[in-house]
Amino acid sequence: MNTLQFNEQLKQKQYIQAQSDMHKHMHDTAQRARFITSQINSAFHTDEEIRDLFFQLTDCEIDETFILFPPFFADYGKNIKVGKNVFINSGCCFQDQGGIDIGDGALIGQQVVIATLNHDFQPTKRANLLPKPVKIGKNVWIGAHATICPGVTVGDNAVIAAGAVVTKDVPQNAVAGGIPAKIIKYIQTECK
């Protein structure tokens, strides 16, 4: 199984059974992700070198405006897509098997966790996985130590407060905070 086949099966099944070909593929690809992230995290690198390593991790084009402050951790790597002018601060952990899409201009604070997998609630099936993608819109700001849970979409221009645990979609121009995160207010955007 390769990444293309894995992603196609994710679209069709949305369930990964323990010890299946999909599960084994995830583990094999995780080895590769750990190797590349250890390179990112092991020494000083220029912005250009980090972009090159991030490209190796994701197999996706990385814009020259992308900035990442290590350390950075990813479980899979190949299901992360980032737009232009994206900044990811130090200590972030991305569990990206289900897919993480980060829009242009997003700012991601220190030690943010983005998770795209849940385990089955049934104890006899606990090792099985339920992937759901996370989408971060354009110009989103995610504060330090926030957690974005599987299946969440954060709308354009939204702000996620530091330490928030986001379990449901956040509309565009909203400020959300708390555990679980709730809408605190809406941002009045400037007209041009």
Side-chain angles (χ1 to χ4, degrees):
M1 172 167 288
N2 62 36
T3 302
L4 194 59
Q5 293 167 324
F6 177 82
N7 288 338
E8 196 55 45
Q9 286 194 16
L10 276 184
K11 288 178 191 173
Q12 294 171 10
K13 286 186 178 181
Q14 293 299 308
Y15 192 77
I16 301 170
Q17 207 158 352
Q19 306 308 317
S20 67
D21 287 343
M22 289 180 76
H23 197 250
K24 290 174 187 166
H25 170 76
M26 277 178 28
H27 280 278
D28 291 344
T29 306
Q31 298 287 336
R32 177 186 165 280
R34 283 198 303 268
F35 176 76
I36 295 169
T37 55
S38 72
Q39 291 180 312
I40 291 171
N41 300 332
S42 66
F44 173 81
H45 298 286
T46 65
D47 289 342
E48 186 177 328
E49 291 168 333
I50 287 176
R51 282 191 292 274
D52 182 56
L53 288 164
F54 204 79
F55 168 76
Q56 291 175 42
L57 176 68
T58 63
D59 283 338
C60 288
E61 185 177 331
I62 304 300
D63 191 78
E64 65 184 16
T65 58
F66 172 76
I67 296 176
L68 168 71
F69 285 3
F72 175 79
F73 305 94
D75 284 13
Y76 187 74
K78 291 187 174 211
N79 278 344
I80 301 170
K81 291 181 177 56
V82 295
K84 296 177 181 178
N85 295 303
V86 169
F87 172 70
I88 300 174
N89 212 329
S90 61
C92 291
C93 298
F94 288 8
Q95 181 194 53
D96 64 292
Q97 290 90 335
I100 297 172
D101 190 342
I102 301 171
D104 294 347
L107 304 174
I108 300 178
Q110 291 177 324
Q111 297 183 347
V112 166
V113 172
I114 301 178
T116 65
L117 293 176
N118 274 320
H119 287 273
D120 196 306
F121 281 108
Q122 291 299 317
T124 58
K125 298 178 181 179
R126 188 66 42 91
N128 296 343
L129 300 166
L130 302 140
K132 291 185 179 177
V134 168
K135 181 166 177 32
I136 308 298
K138 294 178 180 177
N139 303 311
V140 168
W141 173 23
I142 302 175
H145 298 274
T147 298
I148 311 299
C149 293
V152 166
T153 294
V154 179
D156 293 350
N157 308 314
V159 176
I160 306 301
V165 177
V166 184
T167 60
K168 295 181 180 174
D169 290 354
V170 175
Q172 66 180 17
N173 302 314
V175 177
I179 302 173
K182 297 191 181 337
I183 305 304
I184 298 168
K185 65 180 181 176
Y186 285 87
I187 300 164
Q188 299 298 319
T189 57
E190 298 174 356
C191 296
K192 289 187 177 184

